[in-house]
Amino acid sequence: MNELWTKARDKLRPLRARIRRNVPRGLRIFVGLLLIAGGVLGFLPILGFWMIPLGVMVAAMDVQLFRRWWRRRAQPPGKPDQK
């Protein structure tokens, strides 16, 4: 399971970097919320439940608490925080 997560994270890394580079900060939150709202309507054609996690990922790029948690999670255990 951990190996599957690592492969998925590696495949999404270029997409996340591209979004972070090309989409302005305020627009990312708005697009993320639109994706989440569209995912709630996932039973309709074209829209899908896959939009919810994608919307959370896009919107979370600008949430400081999430970014801090993600950095800590990415560090090897026992290694002190670097700021």
Side-chain angles (χ1 to χ4, degrees), residues 21-37:
R21 193 175 44 245
N22 295 330
V23 181
R25 181 181 181 143
L27 187 60
R28 282 194 297 251
I29 292 175
F30 182 70
V31 168
L33 292 175
L34 284 177
L35 285 168
I36 293 169

Side-chain angles (χ1 to χ4, degrees), residues 15-54:
L15 176 66
R16 289 180 56 221
R18 184 176 177 185
I19 291 171
R20 187 174 285 137
R21 193 175 44 245
N22 295 330
V23 181
R25 181 181 181 143
L27 187 60
R28 282 194 297 251
I29 292 175
F30 182 70
V31 168
L33 292 175
L34 284 177
L35 285 168
I36 293 169
V40 171
L41 302 172
F43 57 88
L44 296 172
I46 298 177
L47 303 175
F49 295 111
W50 58 270
M51 295 171 77
I52 295 173
L54 181 63

Side-chain angles (χ1 to χ4, degrees), residues 20 28-29 32 55-64 66-67:
R20 187 174 285 137
R28 282 194 297 251
I29 292 175
V56 169
M57 181 186 78
V58 171
M61 287 181 181
D62 294 329
V63 177
Q64 188 64 25
F66 178 78
R67 290 173 64 199

